[in-house]
Amino acid sequence: MNMMNFLKTRKSTREFKNKQLAENDYKKVDEIISEINFEAQQYLIKMKLYENGENIFQNLKGIAGYSGVMIESPHYVALENEPIKPVSMIYSGYFMEKLITELNNLGIGTCWISLSNVNSELKKKVFGEGSERLNYLLAIGYPKPKSPFAEEHFSERIGVEEMVYIDNFEKNVNIDELENRGLGDLFFYVRFAPSTLNKQPWRFILHDGYIELLLIDDGNISYIDAGIIMYYFEELAKIQGMNSQWELVLEQIEHKNVKYIIVGKYKI
Ligand SMILES: Cc1cc2nc3c(=O)[nH]c(=O)nc-3n(C[C@H](O)[C@H](O)[C@H](O)COP(=O)(O)O)c2cc1C
């Protein structure tokens, strides 16, 4: 599916068919994960596919996920990383969304699940030795078809004007100006990227020759969210013929009593 359509319609899947993935799909998922692991290992990231979702769900229900709401799925992908290293967290978001995009192309739905409330003893019981580096799960499976009469749940997104600035935080962008720079579609669609608790902590400042990505630092910063938007930004930029990659900066700044981390720069 084209990236713009995917992002606009992209939603977390929280209800899955009670059905294992078909053997060929399961094999493809395993192959995609191996390829991603090869690229991501330099950031101390490793993904592992667990076939027996039932065992994981039974052990983590009431504990994992937002307020203990564990998502039930036939299989899970476990994500190992280094939470104290921003770069490891950033690229965890980046590569997980790459996986999510490829799974979507196979008709497979996904939902991130946070394991911050799961202690290391329980992690070890469920996932075995070495699981202390395991911090997130991805629920995967075929989505349950939605009733055409049920009201669709939609997670709100902030407007482009609230997210994008020119030169500094004093000047919000206007849509015409973005269109003139050929960046209207990119920023319209990138807003649909997912984030922890749907906080959408991303801000962009356009400069001559480069775009800066900042993350609001509310004391509970999630670098994963930065990596997520970096991935979708790069993919959408490719459609516009821009092929740069984000270069990390990781500097703290403050504006009107709000702290931000400058995450990176994208040359245009
Ligand atoms: C790092 C991360 C952790 C998340 N953890 C959970 C979770 O534990 N449970 C859950 O239901 N959704 C979780 N989500 C899903 C987000 O809440 C969801 O993507 C966001 O609200 C936007 O909604 P959408 O994906 O339907 O567009 C997580 C998302 C991210 C990026």
Side-chain angles (χ1 to χ4, degrees):
M1 193 195 278
N2 132 344
M3 184 51 88
M4 291 186 189
N5 283 339
F6 169 52
L7 271 170
K8 192 138 183 250
T9 54
R10 181 199 184 290
K11 282 191 187 70
S12 303
T13 299
R14 295 193 172 88
E15 286 191 60
F16 292 89
K17 281 186 185 167
N18 185 10
K19 181 179 171 208
Q20 307 278 302
L21 288 183
E23 206 180 316
N24 58 336
D25 277 346
Y26 189 87
K27 231 174 107 192
K28 274 188 214 151
V29 175
D30 205 25
E31 280 163 18
I32 296 168
I33 289 176
S34 300
E35 283 163 23
I36 291 181
N37 277 338
F38 184 71
E39 265 186 283
Q41 61 186 353
Q42 58 183 307
Y43 306 109
L44 309 173
I45 294 164
K46 192 168 175 192
M47 295 179 192
K48 273 190 202 160
L49 178 57
Y50 284 83
E51 189 169 10
N52 182 356
E54 179 63 16
N55 176 48
I56 295 177
F57 175 71
Q58 290 304 337
N59 276 288
L60 299 186
K61 69 179 176 192
I63 305 168
Y66 295 156
S67 314
V69 181
M70 176 63 184
I71 311 289
E72 183 169 15
S73 61
H75 317 286
Y76 294 90
V77 178
L79 172 70
E80 291 176 15
N81 58 17
E82 290 291 337
I84 56 159
K85 296 198 166 127
V87 176
S88 180
M89 293 300 272
I90 290 171
Y91 284 99
S92 294
Y94 186 99
F95 284 108
M96 199 61 139
E97 292 300 328
K98 185 171 186 172
L99 173 65
I100 289 171
T101 305
E102 295 198 31
L103 296 190
N104 178 73
N105 290 338
L106 297 173
I108 297 171
T110 59
C111 188
W112 282 85
I113 302 168
S114 152
L115 297 184
S116 46
N117 291 330
V118 182
N119 67 32
S120 40
E121 243 171 82
L122 182 54
K123 279 190 205 169
K124 202 162 143 187
K125 176 178 163 209
V126 182
F127 301 100
E129 286 299 329
S131 56
E132 52 291 330
R133 291 181 64 249
L134 201 160
N135 297 300
Y136 291 91
L137 288 179
L138 190 70
I140 68 166
Y142 301 123
K144 230 184 204 172
K146 299 213 170 70
S147 153
F149 306 109
E151 213 171 289
E152 279 264 357
H153 168 81
F154 179 74
S155 304
E156 288 292 333
R157 295 301 198 269
I158 58 173
V160 173
E161 294 97 329
E162 214 181 309
M163 193 177 74
V164 187
Y165 297 80
I166 295 196
D167 297 331
N168 55 53
F169 276 125
E170 297 300 327
K171 192 175 164 202
N172 294 72
V173 82
N174 88 32
I175 301 294
D176 290 341
E177 197 157 354
L178 269 186
E179 294 290 351
N180 288 343
R181 294 180 186 223
L183 295 169
D185 279 354
L186 197 162
F187 281 111
F188 177 81
Y189 288 104
V190 85
R191 292 176 307 136
F192 295 101
S195 54
T196 313
L197 296 165
N198 200 28
K199 279 196 201 169
Q200 307 163 67
W202 321 289
R203 297 295 178 268
F204 294 90
I205 302 182
L206 309 186
H207 298 274
D208 280 340
Y210 69 98
I211 298 172
E212 229 169 21
L213 165 65
L214 300 97
L215 216 52
I216 299 173
D217 183 359
D218 59 359
N220 219 346
I221 195 164
S222 169
Y223 284 102
I224 286 218
D225 294 338
I228 291 175
I229 203 121
M230 281 162 52
Y231 172 73
Y232 287 117
F233 187 101
E234 283 181 10
E235 292 301 304
L236 289 167
K238 280 182 203 161
I239 302 175
Q240 313 287 117
M242 299 187 282
N243 286 299
S244 306
Q245 288 183 331
W246 287 98
E247 292 163 28
L248 296 188
V249 175
L250 299 178
E251 252 173 54
Q252 200 182 51
I253 59 159
E254 202 169 319
H255 177 75
K256 293 195 175 154
N257 291 327
V258 181
K259 290 196 176 87
Y260 299 86
I261 302 285
I262 304 174
V263 177
K265 282 181 182 182
Y266 184 97
K267 289 204 186 94
I268 45 175

